[in-house]
Amino acid sequence: LHRHLRTTSTWHPSARDCRHPQLDIAQTHHYMRPDDDDFQDEVESIVRQTRFLRDNAPGKPALIGEFGLANAKWGLNDYMKQDRDGVHFHNCLWASAFAGSSGTAMFWWWEVLDQQNAYRHYQPLAAFLANVSPVGLRPATATTPEVRLRLLGLQADNRACLWLVNRQSTWWNRVVQKRAPEPIDSATVTIQGLHPGNYTVLWWDTHEGEPISRQTVTAESGRLPLQVPPFTNDLACKILPAAFAE
């Protein structure tokens, strides 16, 4: 009657709900629990859920409406108290933004965000995305020979944005196992499908929310090579036509 957007949620991902013609937003709720095979890898968890939404609702806005670290009975997991720096929260925000959802995954236990002052993780991502238009974006065709590097990204014909995360920088490794990720010092990335020409690459600190370096790179035959600055946990970049970025 009032033309409000409509959505719903279920205990488990529902392809039928995603495809329902009277539901405008596809969404799922996902809590990482100890019995899940991706419990220790929050990025893989978010990517799987986003892929499900996109496969079943390719023409609709899609959101992960609730998420968090849960115990076997769906309650607040004690590991959450150990993750004082919000490692899993930070990674889930950036993963959901770059995996193809229509917004960041929405954390359920908001009181934990208050207690741990975790709202600070929103600002850097908001700053990065402030002038990124979603029009014409598709999953990025980016590859790397560096086995420790995981790539998520979006691109159009003449621009792209990427999130690069060290596979060792999961909440389980850093918070539970107390393993510091090994730095990635000399990775390369190649993006396919960009128009020929010169591009400006702005590398971003994902915790400070600001550019840390700039490169000028040339795309030839639909191939744009990137030299990744040294980093330890994660890094992001914007790729824009050189004339536009000046």
Side-chain angles (χ1 to χ4, degrees), residues 219-233:
E220 296 179 349
S221 302
R223 179 178 178 274
L224 184 77
L226 302 177
Q227 183 66 48
V228 181
F231 75 101
T232 298
N233 294 311

Side-chain angles (χ1 to χ4, degrees), residues 196-241:
N198 294 328
Y199 289 84
T200 295
V201 183
L202 298 173
W203 293 99
W204 278 64
D205 185 314
T206 61
H207 291 272
E208 297 299 324
E210 58 187 27
I212 55 174
S213 66
R214 172 188 291 244
Q215 300 171 351
T216 299
V217 186
T218 301
E220 296 179 349
S221 302
R223 179 178 178 274
L224 184 77
L226 302 177
Q227 183 66 48
V228 181
F231 75 101
T232 298
N233 294 311
D234 65 317
L235 191 67
C237 73
K238 291 182 183 180
I239 302 165
L240 303 167

Side-chain angles (χ1 to χ4, degrees), residues 19-37:
R19 298 168 181 166
H20 198 292
Q22 294 186 24
L23 295 177
D24 304 295
I25 300 172
Q27 70 153 312
T28 185
H29 295 177
H30 182 63
Y31 294 90
M32 294 180 288
R33 300 189 300 154
D35 290 340
D36 296 338
D37 62 0

Side-chain angles (χ1 to χ4, degrees), residues 131-144:
N131 62 351
V132 175
S133 170
V135 178
L137 292 180
R138 59 185 183 272
T141 53
T143 58
T144 178

